Structure formats: structure tokens, C-alpha cells
Amino acid sequence: MQFNSHTSVEKIAQCFKSCGRACKKCIPKLRILPEDEVVEGDSSSADGENVIEEHVRDDKEESAVTSLHEVTDSRAHLDGSLNELKKDMPYELRDEAGRKWYKYFDEYEYRLNKEYKTSRKWYTFLYPNHATQTKAERRLLYKLDIIIAVYFLALNWSKSVDSNNYTSAYVSNMREDLKMKGNDYIYTSTIANVGAIVFQLPFMYLLPRFPAHIILPVMDLGWTWFTFACYRAKSLAELRAYRFILSAFGAAYYPVSQYILGCWYAPDEISSRVCLFFCGQLLGGVTSGLLQARIFKSLNGVHGLAGWRWMFLIDAIAISLPTVIIGFFVIPGIPSKCYSLFLTDEEIRIARARNRRNQINDGVDKSKLRPLWDLKLWKKVFCTSSFWVLVVFDTCSWNNMTAFSGSYTLWLKSNSSYSIEQVNNLSVLPACLGFAYVFFCAWGADLFRCKWIFMVFAAIMNTISCAILIKWNVSSSAKWYAFLTTYFSVAASPCLWSYINDFLRLDPQVKAITWIAIYSFSQSTYAWIPTLAWQTVEAPKFRTGYITSIIFGSIYGLWTFVVLFFYKRNEKKNALGNGIILYDSSKGEEIPTFVKTDMEEKAGYFYVKN
């Protein structure tokens, strides 16, 4: 048989080209829909009007809208807002006369109109279809839960395993091997927190400008590498250096993940999805203890490595590295700048329609972003009452978390009747119960459309737990009850973050800066308050720590009502965008003129005339 080298080379070349095309299809690219191209070429086209609504107005228009919102209660505002009305959206005409005092506690009174509230059955609260009333919207939510919510669960699980490994390793002979003493445990944690705080700040610039499917995996790769490096730490100083850099690479995943979730989910859907994110954190607490117990038993001393070193090795290679690879392919970006390989064009259109219906502005073109040094931008962030209200809220949330203090594990360690393996196994019990607490609060918030009541309930439960542990000299069963309910200090976090997302939904750039600012400030207090409150030398009683937690927990529960007040005030200003036309006949106000002249009534709701 004659060998034709030329033909063989051509076949090989064709094979490489086919593989290249296949690989190219698997690389996430910006999804540009036909109507997006029309808008770029002809901004006056009718098809482009809906897409233009997704972009931020220029400074002049923005200032006009801002001043418009400041006079929401006046007829002039309503009559001048015709251009803000959305076609095909049902508007509720609401007379504020005779409004009852207890409506203050109706969280979504001005956020959702009557049609929106009644358009779902109670049992479909996880998968409603408000915007399009089609199965396609529900199918979109199924997909989003798989490619976003479940991925962030896995990502947070990976991060939580890494973080909890430090505590597990500490009680598994790392303390002795690295000659840690006194408050070295809490000081090392503080140093790591400083790394996360400092390196969050650049994301004020990066977050609205660069796609998350690039940002998160790159940062996650750095986290993975330095988790791996922890196994070779020969001294406390070396371990602290690795933990500092590791936390610096982990600075992005909390604010970026919440930023993305807030761009895809409606206000009465998001708590349930943030719940999955926090379940990843709890799952990390569970698996870390169990894995460390198993590894310590099976691998301690194998190839001359201590059991706690094996944990860092396995964690980096088998847990963290896969999330790096998966993240690049599954993170979809945001609806207006989608990079998803799994969503269809129709589903991207539905996601955009949902955002228009829910008054969520998810993205801004780079050319319309203000420079980071623009004073107007910073005034818009810091010169608002909402920012400072949320800072206090998040700071109290961070510092009332007895669940992550390590006190329970150190209490077990102080009991000589428990072996190292038993300590690691028993350490997972509060986190296991934490799943139930988090689901109860987050799903209850979406089911009943009421976050505040679950936040107050969680604060009360956490206060009771801390009060028992402050007394300390109580029965064994009371002490176990207190430790096993410490995760109520975490349970309300999905509701808290849902509030923040909804407060910030109108301006993507302000949202990015505010998220980072709130999170950095809150976490910075968590870098030094635990150092004073949870000093390792006070183990296992930690009286100062529990007193600190009960103070912040009590403020957290009471501050919820302050947040509710500002939330409702903001939503009343934006009621028209939420599909609610307000007037008050008791003050002599009449139905706005544009309702009579430019809208028509259908089935009790008003629609813009075609």
C-alpha cells in the first residue's frame, strides 16, 4: 500500500481544525441577540426601545429621574412620568386614603403590585412566572438554579472547607507541630481576614467592567494554589503568609456571587437562592470535620505527613481545583451581557423582560461608566441614608455569629473524654442543624414575602443561645441546646443579602461600589472585634465573646425595623416603576391625568395604550 504523506498531513490538519472549532464552541462568548445589533445600528428602531431601557441614562436624564423621585407624592411627578411606563405591564391604581397603620409591616406594599402578588400559587413560590406567564420562564429558573445557584453552593462549600480546615487542623495537632500558643489561633485568623478586606477594594472598579466568568475562576485558582501551599508550612509565620494570600484571592467570591444573583432573580425569589449559597458554607463546616476525622485516622503519618497536612492537599486538588474549571464554563454573566453556553436566546430575552418588570438594572455599557475618581459617584454612594443603614445592618450580622467563632469545637477539645476523631465528628452537629435554620428563614421569607419577621426570630433565638452560654454554669442539656442553636446567628443572612441586593438594584456601578464598601467595612470590624472578644486564652468559656454576640445580635434584631422603614420609603419613591400608581384622595389628589388619557383598563389593571 502506497503512503501519501500529503494526504495524511491534510487529514491531520483538518482534524486539528475540527477540534479547534469544537473547542471554540465551548468557550463562553458574549451573546449578542439580533435586537442588540439593531440597537447599535439604529437607536430609533422600535425593536430597540426595550433594550435601550436596560442601559443607564446619561447624567442629565439621571438627575431628572432623581429629582422626579424626590417628589413622588405629587401629581406633577406622576404626570411627568409617562415616559417611564412600560408597555404590556399591568399597573395597579392605588388610593392611599385610609391606609391602615399595620401596613407598615407589609414589606412588599410598594415593591410588588396586586397583579404580581396574585399571579402565583403559594406552592409555586420557588418557580413563579410573573413576567411572561409562560412555562419558558419557569424553565429559565430551573436552568438558573443549576448553573448559578448550585455552582455558588459548590463554590462556597469549597471555600468553607478551606476555612474550616484551619480550625480542624488546629485541633488535629497543627497547634503542636507549629508551636502555636496563647492567642496565635485568633491572631492568624485576623491576619487572613485583613488579606480579604484589602484585596476586595479593586473590585469596585473591576466588577461592573469585566465578566464574572473570568474574574471568579482566576481568583479561585489563586485560592486553590495557596490552599495547597498550606500543607508545607513549617512555621507559624509561613502558615500566616499563606493564609493571608489565600484570603486575598478569596476576596471576590462573596460580593461577586451576590452581585450576579441579584441580576437574575426577582425580589421574592432571591432569598431561596442565597440560601443555597449559605448552605454551601454550612456543608463546608460539616464535611471539613468529617473529612479531617477520616484523614487523620487513615493518613496520619503516611509518607511522613501529618493528618492535618493531608487535609490541605486533598482539599486543594480534589475540591477547590474542580470549581475553578467549572466556573469558567457555567457562570453566565448578567442578562444584558450574557456569556452563557446553556441559555437560549429566548431565555435571555425572558431574563431581560423579568428585570424590566422588577425594575432591576443589571448592567451598563463601559462607555457610560463614570470614572472611579468621579466625586459625584462617591457622593451617590456615601451621601445616602440607605448606605449607612445597611453598613450597620451588615456589621451587626458579621459580629453576632457565634457559629463561626470555633468556640463549640474548642469546648469539645477541652473535654478529655473525647478523642481527636470524636471531636472532629461531633464538631459538625451545629452546622447540620444550621441547614434547617437557614432553609426555614430563607424559604419562609420568599413563601410569605416577608423577610423581616424571620430575621427578628433568628435574632431572638441567637440571643437566647448566647444568654445560656454567658451564664455557663448550667445543666449539660442546656449547654448542648445553646451550642446546637448557634447557627441561628447565620440563618437570617440570606434575607439580609436579599435586602441589600434590592436596595441597590437601580444602578449597577453604584451597586458594585456599595456592595464592596459595605462588605469591606463590615468585615474589617470582624478582623479586630473577634481578636478582642474571642481570645483563645478564654477557651472554652469565652464569656466576652458571648456578651459581644448578644449585644450585636440584639441590635441586629431591632435594626431590622429601621431597615424596613428605609426600604419601604425607597420603594414608595419607585412605586411607579414597580407597577403601582399612587394618589391620595384624602389630601385632595385626583387620579393622575395620564391614567385617563394614555392608559386603558383591562381586568382591573391599567395598561399603556398601543
Side-chain angles (χ1 to χ4, degrees):
M1 183 177 66
Q2 186 175 4
F3 178 76
N4 190 328
S5 59
H6 180 70
T7 303
S8 300
V9 170
E10 282 186 347
K11 288 183 177 179
I12 293 172
Q14 289 176 358
C15 182
F16 274 112
K17 286 181 180 179
S18 299
C19 292
R21 284 193 294 268
C23 292
K24 193 174 181 180
K25 289 181 179 179
C26 296
I27 297 174
K29 297 181 291 293
L30 179 63
R31 299 282 296 277
I32 299 177
L33 305 187
E35 57 266 33
D36 298 337
E37 294 176 343
V38 170
V39 170
E40 290 176 6
D42 181 10
S43 60
S44 63
S45 68
D47 292 338
E49 291 178 358
N50 289 336
V51 181
I52 291 175
E53 290 176 7
E54 298 173 19
H55 296 289
V56 173
R57 295 177 176 90
D58 59 26
D59 290 345
K60 182 177 178 181
E61 290 173 324
E62 186 178 290
S63 61
V65 172
T66 302
S67 61
L68 202 60
H69 286 162
E70 291 174 354
V71 291
T72 304
D73 294 330
S74 66
R75 260 188 74 189
H77 160 66
L78 291 172
D79 288 340
S81 300
L82 185 58
N83 291 333
E84 295 183 42
L85 297 177
K86 306 178 183 74
K87 291 182 178 180
D88 300 322
M89 180 171 178
Y91 283 85
E92 175 191 353
L93 183 64
R94 184 184 300 176
D95 186 355
E96 289 276 271
R99 178 178 174 271
K100 304 299 183 182
W101 65 268
Y102 52 79
K103 293 297 287 182
Y104 168 81
F105 298 101
D106 181 358
E107 185 175 314
Y108 287 107
E109 181 183 7
Y110 301 110
R111 180 67 178 95
L112 307 175
N113 67 18
K114 185 177 179 181
E115 189 276 339
Y116 190 103
K117 289 181 177 180
T118 58
S119 63
R120 79 168 197 201
K121 305 294 184 183
W122 70 267
Y123 52 83
T124 63
F125 75 97
L126 285 176
Y127 297 103
N129 52 356
H130 297 300
T132 63
Q133 302 294 322
T134 63
K135 291 182 179 179
E137 184 175 348
R138 196 164 290 164
R139 188 166 59 247
L140 168 66
L141 288 173
Y142 295 148
K143 282 190 176 183
L144 290 176
D145 281 354
I146 294 172
I147 65 177
I148 299 180
V150 174
Y151 168 71
F152 282 134
L153 183 153
L155 180 67
N156 204 11
W157 169 62
S158 168
K159 298 294 175 289
S160 182
V161 168
D162 292 347
S163 300
N164 280 281
N165 274 352
Y166 171 62
T167 302
S168 297
Y170 181 80
V171 299
S172 301
N173 293 338
M174 183 178 74
R175 178 179 62 180
E176 292 78 7
D177 290 352
L178 299 184
K179 298 179 175 58
M180 299 174 72
K181 56 187 178 181
N183 290 317
D184 284 344
Y185 170 84
I186 191 64
Y187 290 158
T188 304
S189 295
T190 300
I191 290 170
N193 285 334
V194 170
I197 295 164
V198 172
F199 285 91
Q200 278 172 4
L201 300 180
F203 289 95
M204 292 181 177
Y205 176 83
L206 297 172
L207 194 50
R209 288 174 170 83
F210 297 95
H213 76 281
I214 300 296
I215 293 176
L216 270 182
V218 169
M219 298 298 286
D220 201 15
L221 183 61
W223 173 287
T224 301
W225 176 255
F226 283 95
T227 299
F228 178 84
C230 285
Y231 99 93
R232 67 179 301 278
K234 298 296 191 297
S235 66
L236 178 58
E238 188 177 355
L239 176 69
R240 285 175 171 173
Y242 292 147
R243 300 299 291 181
F244 176 87
I245 301 173
L246 179 152
S247 294
F249 276 106
Y253 86 101
Y254 257 106
V256 174
S257 60
Q258 298 311 307
Y259 183 93
I260 294 172
L261 288 170
C263 291
W264 289 94
Y265 290 105
D268 56 341
E269 300 165 355
I270 190 170
S271 292
S272 302
R273 276 65 187 193
V274 180
C275 166
L276 292 178
F277 178 86
F278 273 92
C279 281
Q281 192 169 30
L282 302 183
L283 188 62
V286 172
T287 55
S288 177
L290 296 177
L291 283 172
Q292 184 65 55
R294 183 64 181 171
I295 289 170
F296 189 89
K297 181 179 179 180
S298 304
L299 294 175
N300 188 36
V302 174
H303 297 300
L305 295 179
W308 64 268
R309 296 183 185 275
W310 276 109
M311 186 59 186
F312 286 118
L313 276 171
I314 293 172
D315 185 15
I317 297 171
I319 298 176
S320 293
L321 188 59
T323 63
V324 176
I325 300 169
I326 294 171
F328 178 74
F329 295 99
V330 303
I331 298 174
I334 56 179
S336 61
K337 296 178 182 177
C338 184
Y339 290 83
S340 179
L341 298 172
F342 307 101
L343 298 180
T344 65
D345 287 355
E346 179 192 10
E347 287 163 346
I348 295 173
R349 291 188 183 97
I350 291 173
R352 294 176 178 181
R354 281 162 49 85
N355 280 357
R356 288 194 294 273
R357 172 70 197 264
N358 290 298
Q359 207 178 3
I360 297 172
N361 190 8
D362 61 5
V364 181
D365 190 85
K366 285 184 180 181
S367 63
K368 295 185 179 182
L369 290 171
R370 289 173 173 164
L372 201 58
W373 55 84
D374 189 337
L375 290 179
K376 290 182 180 178
L377 179 62
W378 291 98
K379 284 177 65 178
K380 197 171 183 179
V381 173
F382 292 117
C383 295
T384 59
S385 54
S386 298
F387 173 80
W388 298 105
V389 166
L390 293 174
V391 164
V392 173
F393 208 25
D394 199 40
T395 299
C396 290
S397 173
W398 270 91
N399 290 288
N400 90 114
M401 290 187 181
T402 53
F404 299 140
S405 65
S407 56
Y408 169 66
T409 304
L410 295 177
W411 173 65
L412 291 174
K413 176 71 173 177
S414 69
N415 193 328
S416 58
S417 62
Y418 296 127
S419 66
I420 290 177
E421 183 181 349
Q422 288 175 315
V423 168
N424 280 308
N425 285 330
L426 289 172
S427 68
V428 306
L429 289 178
C432 289
L433 291 171
F435 283 105
Y437 306 155
V438 171
F439 273 106
F440 172 75
C441 291
W443 285 28
D446 281 349
L447 174 60
F448 296 103
R449 290 192 174 114
C450 182
K451 294 186 285 290
W452 71 263
I453 195 168
F454 291 95
M455 301 183 81
V456 172
F457 175 77
I460 292 171
M461 294 298 293
N462 182 49
T463 300
I464 294 172
S465 170
C466 290
I468 293 172
L469 293 172
I470 289 171
K471 186 173 178 56
W472 192 257
N473 294 320
V474 294
S475 66
S476 177
S477 58
K479 196 172 291 184
W480 271 103
Y481 168 82
F483 278 120
L484 295 180
T485 54
T486 54
Y487 269 79
F488 268 110
S489 63
V490 181
S493 295
C495 300
L496 165 67
W497 287 22
S498 300
Y499 260 131
I500 296 175
N501 260 316
D502 219 18
F503 265 104
L504 304 176
R505 71 183 186 276
L506 299 175
D507 188 326
Q509 189 173 18
V510 170
K511 177 180 178 179
I513 294 174
T514 306
W515 252 122
I516 302 298
I518 290 173
Y519 195 76
S520 298
F521 183 89
S522 304
Q523 195 175 13
S524 67
T525 65
Y526 194 67
W528 61 270
I529 289 178
T531 305
L532 301 176
W534 298 95
Q535 294 193 7
T536 314
V537 293
E538 291 189 13
K541 294 186 177 180
F542 290 112
R543 179 178 173 81
T544 306
Y546 296 126
I547 291 174
T548 303
S549 288
I550 202 171
I551 292 172
F552 278 106
S554 300
I555 296 173
Y556 185 50
L558 295 172
W559 200 256
T560 301
F561 295 102
V562 178
V563 174
L564 181 62
F565 170 79
F566 281 94
Y567 178 73
K568 295 199 66 176
R569 189 183 72 169
N570 285 354
E571 294 311 322
K572 189 173 183 179
K573 289 180 181 180
N574 293 287
L576 186 62
N578 294 331
I580 304 169
I581 303 171
L582 296 176
Y583 73 102
D584 193 337
S585 59
S586 65
K587 296 179 180 179
E589 297 177 3
E590 298 180 357
I591 296 175
T593 304
F594 69 80
V595 175
K596 301 175 183 177
T597 59
D598 298 284
M599 304 186 79
E600 56 186 353
E601 186 177 1
K602 297 178 183 177
Y605 300 100
F606 289 85
Y607 295 81
V608 177
K609 292 179 180 178
N610 293 326

Short mmCIF file of all heavy atoms in Angstrom, two decimals, residues 82-115:
data_model
loop_
_atom_site.label_atom_id
_atom_site.label_comp_id
_atom_site.label_asym_id
_atom_site.label_seq_id
_atom_site.Cartn_x
_atom_site.Cartn_y
_atom_site.Cartn_z
N LEU A 82 -44.77 59.66 32.36
CA LEU A 82 -45.34 58.83 31.30
C LEU A 82 -44.27 58.08 30.53
O LEU A 82 -44.46 56.94 30.14
CB LEU A 82 -46.17 59.70 30.35
CG LEU A 82 -46.94 58.95 29.24
CD1 LEU A 82 -47.88 57.93 29.86
CD2 LEU A 82 -47.71 59.94 28.38
N ASN A 83 -43.12 58.72 30.34
CA ASN A 83 -42.04 58.09 29.59
C ASN A 83 -41.44 56.88 30.32
O ASN A 83 -40.74 56.08 29.73
CB ASN A 83 -40.93 59.10 29.29
CG ASN A 83 -41.40 60.16 28.29
OD1 ASN A 83 -42.27 59.89 27.48
ND2 ASN A 83 -40.81 61.34 28.38
N GLU A 84 -41.70 56.79 31.65
CA GLU A 84 -41.17 55.67 32.42
C GLU A 84 -42.08 54.45 32.40
O GLU A 84 -41.71 53.39 32.87
CB GLU A 84 -40.94 56.09 33.87
CG GLU A 84 -39.87 57.16 34.04
CD GLU A 84 -39.65 57.49 35.50
OE1 GLU A 84 -39.62 56.55 36.31
OE2 GLU A 84 -39.50 58.66 35.81
N LEU A 85 -43.29 54.60 31.89
CA LEU A 85 -44.23 53.50 31.87
C LEU A 85 -43.78 52.42 30.90
O LEU A 85 -43.20 52.71 29.86
CB LEU A 85 -45.63 54.01 31.48
CG LEU A 85 -46.27 55.01 32.44
CD1 LEU A 85 -47.61 55.48 31.89
CD2 LEU A 85 -46.45 54.40 33.82
N LYS A 86 -44.04 51.17 31.26
CA LYS A 86 -43.63 50.03 30.45
C LYS A 86 -44.84 49.46 29.73
O LYS A 86 -45.90 49.24 30.34
CB LYS A 86 -42.98 48.96 31.33
CG LYS A 86 -41.83 49.47 32.19
CD LYS A 86 -41.28 48.33 33.05
CE LYS A 86 -40.18 48.83 33.97
NZ LYS A 86 -40.70 49.64 35.09
N LYS A 87 -44.67 49.19 28.46
CA LYS A 87 -45.74 48.58 27.69
C LYS A 87 -45.97 47.14 28.16
O LYS A 87 -45.04 46.46 28.57
CB LYS A 87 -45.40 48.59 26.21
CG LYS A 87 -45.39 49.99 25.60
CD LYS A 87 -45.11 49.93 24.10
CE LYS A 87 -45.16 51.34 23.51
NZ LYS A 87 -44.87 51.32 22.05
N ASP A 88 -47.21 46.70 28.10
CA ASP A 88 -47.63 45.35 28.45
C ASP A 88 -47.48 45.05 29.94
O ASP A 88 -47.64 43.90 30.36
CB ASP A 88 -46.84 44.30 27.65
CG ASP A 88 -47.03 44.46 26.16
OD1 ASP A 88 -48.16 44.78 25.75
OD2 ASP A 88 -46.06 44.26 25.41
N MET A 89 -47.17 46.04 30.76
CA MET A 89 -47.08 45.83 32.20
C MET A 89 -48.40 46.25 32.85
O MET A 89 -48.89 47.35 32.59
CB MET A 89 -45.93 46.62 32.81
CG MET A 89 -45.80 46.42 34.32
SD MET A 89 -44.27 47.18 34.96
CE MET A 89 -44.44 46.85 36.72
N PRO A 90 -48.99 45.41 33.69
CA PRO A 90 -50.22 45.80 34.38
C PRO A 90 -49.91 46.75 35.53
O PRO A 90 -49.04 46.47 36.35
CB PRO A 90 -50.75 44.46 34.90
CG PRO A 90 -49.55 43.59 35.03
CD PRO A 90 -48.59 44.03 33.96
N TYR A 91 -50.61 47.86 35.59
CA TYR A 91 -50.42 48.85 36.65
C TYR A 91 -51.61 48.85 37.59
O TYR A 91 -52.77 48.82 37.16
CB TYR A 91 -50.24 50.25 36.05
CG TYR A 91 -48.87 50.47 35.47
CD1 TYR A 91 -48.58 50.07 34.17
CD2 TYR A 91 -47.85 51.06 36.21
CE1 TYR A 91 -47.32 50.25 33.62
CE2 TYR A 91 -46.59 51.26 35.68
CZ TYR A 91 -46.33 50.85 34.39
OH TYR A 91 -45.08 51.02 33.85
N GLU A 92 -51.30 48.86 38.87
CA GLU A 92 -52.34 48.95 39.89
C GLU A 92 -52.54 50.42 40.26
O GLU A 92 -51.59 51.13 40.57
CB GLU A 92 -51.93 48.17 41.14
CG GLU A 92 -52.91 48.31 42.30
CD GLU A 92 -52.36 47.74 43.61
OE1 GLU A 92 -51.27 47.11 43.58
OE2 GLU A 92 -53.01 47.94 44.65
N LEU A 93 -53.79 50.87 40.21
CA LEU A 93 -54.13 52.23 40.64
C LEU A 93 -54.53 52.16 42.11
O LEU A 93 -55.52 51.50 42.46
CB LEU A 93 -55.26 52.79 39.79
CG LEU A 93 -55.68 54.23 40.09
CD1 LEU A 93 -54.54 55.19 39.78
CD2 LEU A 93 -56.92 54.60 39.28
N ARG A 94 -53.76 52.83 42.97
CA ARG A 94 -53.97 52.66 44.42
C ARG A 94 -54.20 54.01 45.09
O ARG A 94 -53.38 54.92 44.99
CB ARG A 94 -52.75 51.97 45.05
CG ARG A 94 -52.91 51.68 46.54
CD ARG A 94 -51.65 51.09 47.11
NE ARG A 94 -51.26 49.85 46.46
CZ ARG A 94 -50.13 49.19 46.75
NH1 ARG A 94 -49.27 49.69 47.63
NH2 ARG A 94 -49.85 48.07 46.11
N ASP A 95 -55.31 54.10 45.81
CA ASP A 95 -55.64 55.28 46.60
C ASP A 95 -55.12 55.07 48.02
O ASP A 95 -55.50 54.11 48.69
CB ASP A 95 -57.16 55.49 46.61
CG ASP A 95 -57.55 56.80 47.29
OD1 ASP A 95 -56.66 57.50 47.82
OD2 ASP A 95 -58.77 57.11 47.28
N GLU A 96 -54.23 55.96 48.47
CA GLU A 96 -53.61 55.83 49.79
C GLU A 96 -54.52 56.30 50.93
O GLU A 96 -54.16 56.17 52.10
CB GLU A 96 -52.31 56.66 49.84
CG GLU A 96 -51.18 56.08 49.02
CD GLU A 96 -50.42 55.01 49.80
OE1 GLU A 96 -49.47 55.34 50.51
OE2 GLU A 96 -50.82 53.83 49.68
N ALA A 97 -55.68 56.84 50.61
CA ALA A 97 -56.59 57.32 51.65
C ALA A 97 -57.03 56.16 52.54
O ALA A 97 -57.38 55.09 52.06
CB ALA A 97 -57.81 57.99 51.00
N GLY A 98 -57.00 56.38 53.84
CA GLY A 98 -57.44 55.35 54.78
C GLY A 98 -56.47 54.21 54.97
O GLY A 98 -56.85 53.14 55.46
N ARG A 99 -55.22 54.41 54.59
CA ARG A 99 -54.21 53.36 54.76
C ARG A 99 -54.05 53.03 56.25
O ARG A 99 -53.86 53.91 57.08
CB ARG A 99 -52.88 53.81 54.17
CG ARG A 99 -51.74 52.84 54.31
CD ARG A 99 -50.49 53.39 53.64
NE ARG A 99 -49.33 52.55 53.87
CZ ARG A 99 -48.50 52.66 54.90
NH1 ARG A 99 -48.72 53.62 55.81
NH2 ARG A 99 -47.48 51.86 55.06
N LYS A 100 -54.09 51.75 56.58
CA LYS A 100 -54.02 51.30 57.97
C LYS A 100 -52.58 51.35 58.49
O LYS A 100 -51.63 51.15 57.73
CB LYS A 100 -54.56 49.87 58.11
CG LYS A 100 -55.98 49.69 57.59
CD LYS A 100 -56.98 50.55 58.37
CE LYS A 100 -58.41 50.30 57.90
NZ LYS A 100 -59.37 51.16 58.61
N TRP A 101 -52.42 51.57 59.80
CA TRP A 101 -51.09 51.68 60.40
C TRP A 101 -50.28 50.40 60.27
O TRP A 101 -49.07 50.44 60.12
CB TRP A 101 -51.23 52.05 61.89
CG TRP A 101 -51.89 50.98 62.72
CD1 TRP A 101 -53.22 50.86 62.99
CD2 TRP A 101 -51.25 49.87 63.36
NE1 TRP A 101 -53.48 49.76 63.77
CE2 TRP A 101 -52.27 49.13 64.02
CE3 TRP A 101 -49.93 49.42 63.46
CZ2 TRP A 101 -52.00 47.97 64.74
CZ3 TRP A 101 -49.67 48.27 64.19
CH2 TRP A 101 -50.69 47.56 64.83
N TYR A 102 -50.97 49.25 60.32
CA TYR A 102 -50.25 47.98 60.29
C TYR A 102 -49.69 47.65 58.91
O TYR A 102 -48.92 46.69 58.77
CB TYR A 102 -51.14 46.83 60.78
CG TYR A 102 -52.49 46.73 60.11
CD1 TYR A 102 -52.62 46.15 58.84
CD2 TYR A 102 -53.64 47.19 60.75
CE1 TYR A 102 -53.85 46.06 58.23
CE2 TYR A 102 -54.88 47.10 60.13
CZ TYR A 102 -54.98 46.52 58.88
OH TYR A 102 -56.21 46.43 58.26
N LYS A 103 -50.03 48.45 57.91
CA LYS A 103 -49.44 48.23 56.58
C LYS A 103 -47.94 48.53 56.58
O LYS A 103 -47.24 48.14 55.66
CB LYS A 103 -50.15 49.12 55.55
CG LYS A 103 -51.60 48.74 55.28
CD LYS A 103 -51.71 47.35 54.69
CE LYS A 103 -51.27 47.32 53.25
NZ LYS A 103 -51.41 45.97 52.64
N TYR A 104 -47.48 49.21 57.62
CA TYR A 104 -46.03 49.43 57.77
C TYR A 104 -45.28 48.11 57.73
O TYR A 104 -44.14 48.03 57.24
CB TYR A 104 -45.75 50.16 59.08
CG TYR A 104 -44.29 50.19 59.48
CD1 TYR A 104 -43.42 51.13 58.92
CD2 TYR A 104 -43.77 49.27 60.38
CE1 TYR A 104 -42.08 51.16 59.27
CE2 TYR A 104 -42.43 49.28 60.73
CZ TYR A 104 -41.59 50.23 60.18
OH TYR A 104 -40.26 50.25 60.52
N PHE A 105 -45.89 47.05 58.26
CA PHE A 105 -45.23 45.75 58.35
C PHE A 105 -45.40 44.92 57.07
O PHE A 105 -44.89 43.80 57.00
CB PHE A 105 -45.76 44.98 59.56
CG PHE A 105 -45.50 45.67 60.87
CD1 PHE A 105 -46.50 46.39 61.50
CD2 PHE A 105 -44.24 45.64 61.45
CE1 PHE A 105 -46.26 47.05 62.70
CE2 PHE A 105 -43.99 46.29 62.65
CZ PHE A 105 -45.00 47.00 63.28
N ASP A 106 -46.12 45.45 56.10
CA ASP A 106 -46.25 44.78 54.80
C ASP A 106 -45.02 45.15 53.97
O ASP A 106 -44.96 46.19 53.34
CB ASP A 106 -47.54 45.24 54.10
CG ASP A 106 -47.74 44.55 52.76
OD1 ASP A 106 -46.86 43.75 52.35
OD2 ASP A 106 -48.77 44.82 52.11
N GLU A 107 -44.04 44.28 53.99
CA GLU A 107 -42.73 44.57 53.41
C GLU A 107 -42.79 44.94 51.94
O GLU A 107 -42.09 45.84 51.47
CB GLU A 107 -41.83 43.36 53.63
CG GLU A 107 -40.40 43.53 53.20
CD GLU A 107 -39.58 42.32 53.58
OE1 GLU A 107 -39.68 41.83 54.72
OE2 GLU A 107 -38.82 41.84 52.71
N TYR A 108 -43.63 44.24 51.19
CA TYR A 108 -43.68 44.45 49.74
C TYR A 108 -44.86 45.34 49.31
O TYR A 108 -45.28 45.30 48.17
CB TYR A 108 -43.78 43.10 49.02
CG TYR A 108 -42.49 42.32 49.03
CD1 TYR A 108 -42.34 41.20 49.84
CD2 TYR A 108 -41.43 42.70 48.23
CE1 TYR A 108 -41.16 40.48 49.85
CE2 TYR A 108 -40.24 42.00 48.23
CZ TYR A 108 -40.11 40.88 49.04
OH TYR A 108 -38.93 40.18 49.05
N GLU A 109 -45.35 46.16 50.22
CA GLU A 109 -46.51 47.00 49.93
C GLU A 109 -46.30 47.85 48.69
O GLU A 109 -47.20 47.98 47.85
CB GLU A 109 -46.80 47.90 51.13
CG GLU A 109 -48.00 48.81 50.94
CD GLU A 109 -48.22 49.75 52.12
OE1 GLU A 109 -47.35 49.77 53.03
OE2 GLU A 109 -49.24 50.45 52.12
N TYR A 110 -45.11 48.44 48.55
CA TYR A 110 -44.81 49.30 47.40
C TYR A 110 -43.85 48.63 46.41
O TYR A 110 -43.58 49.21 45.37
CB TYR A 110 -44.22 50.63 47.87
CG TYR A 110 -45.13 51.40 48.79
CD1 TYR A 110 -44.81 51.55 50.14
CD2 TYR A 110 -46.31 51.96 48.32
CE1 TYR A 110 -45.65 52.27 51.00
CE2 TYR A 110 -47.16 52.67 49.17
CZ TYR A 110 -46.82 52.81 50.51
OH TYR A 110 -47.65 53.50 51.35
N ARG A 111 -43.37 47.47 46.74
CA ARG A 111 -42.40 46.79 45.86
C ARG A 111 -43.10 45.98 44.78
O ARG A 111 -42.61 45.87 43.65
CB ARG A 111 -41.48 45.88 46.70
CG ARG A 111 -40.43 45.13 45.88
CD ARG A 111 -39.43 46.10 45.30
NE ARG A 111 -38.38 45.44 44.56
CZ ARG A 111 -38.37 45.25 43.25
NH1 ARG A 111 -39.41 45.65 42.51
NH2 ARG A 111 -37.35 44.66 42.65
N LEU A 112 -44.24 45.36 45.13
CA LEU A 112 -44.96 44.50 44.19
C LEU A 112 -46.41 44.95 44.11
O LEU A 112 -47.03 45.21 45.14
CB LEU A 112 -44.91 43.03 44.66
CG LEU A 112 -43.54 42.44 44.96
CD1 LEU A 112 -43.69 41.03 45.53
CD2 LEU A 112 -42.67 42.41 43.71
N ASN A 113 -46.94 45.04 42.91
CA ASN A 113 -48.34 45.42 42.80
C ASN A 113 -49.25 44.21 42.98
O ASN A 113 -48.78 43.07 43.10
CB ASN A 113 -48.62 46.15 41.48
CG ASN A 113 -48.46 45.26 40.25
OD1 ASN A 113 -48.47 44.04 40.34
ND2 ASN A 113 -48.34 45.89 39.09
N LYS A 114 -50.53 44.47 43.02
CA LYS A 114 -51.50 43.42 43.34
C LYS A 114 -51.48 42.30 42.31
O LYS A 114 -51.58 41.12 42.65
CB LYS A 114 -52.90 44.03 43.44
CG LYS A 114 -53.97 43.06 43.89
CD LYS A 114 -55.32 43.77 44.03
CE LYS A 114 -56.40 42.78 44.47
NZ LYS A 114 -57.73 43.45 44.58
N GLU A 115 -51.33 42.67 41.03
CA GLU A 115 -51.32 41.64 39.97
C GLU A 115 -50.14 40.71 40.16
O GLU A 115 -50.26 39.49 40.01
CB GLU A 115 -51.25 42.32 38.60
CG GLU A 115 -51.45 41.39 37.41
CD GLU A 115 -50.16 40.67 36.99
OE1 GLU A 115 -49.07 41.16 37.33
OE2 GLU A 115 -50.27 39.61 36.34
#
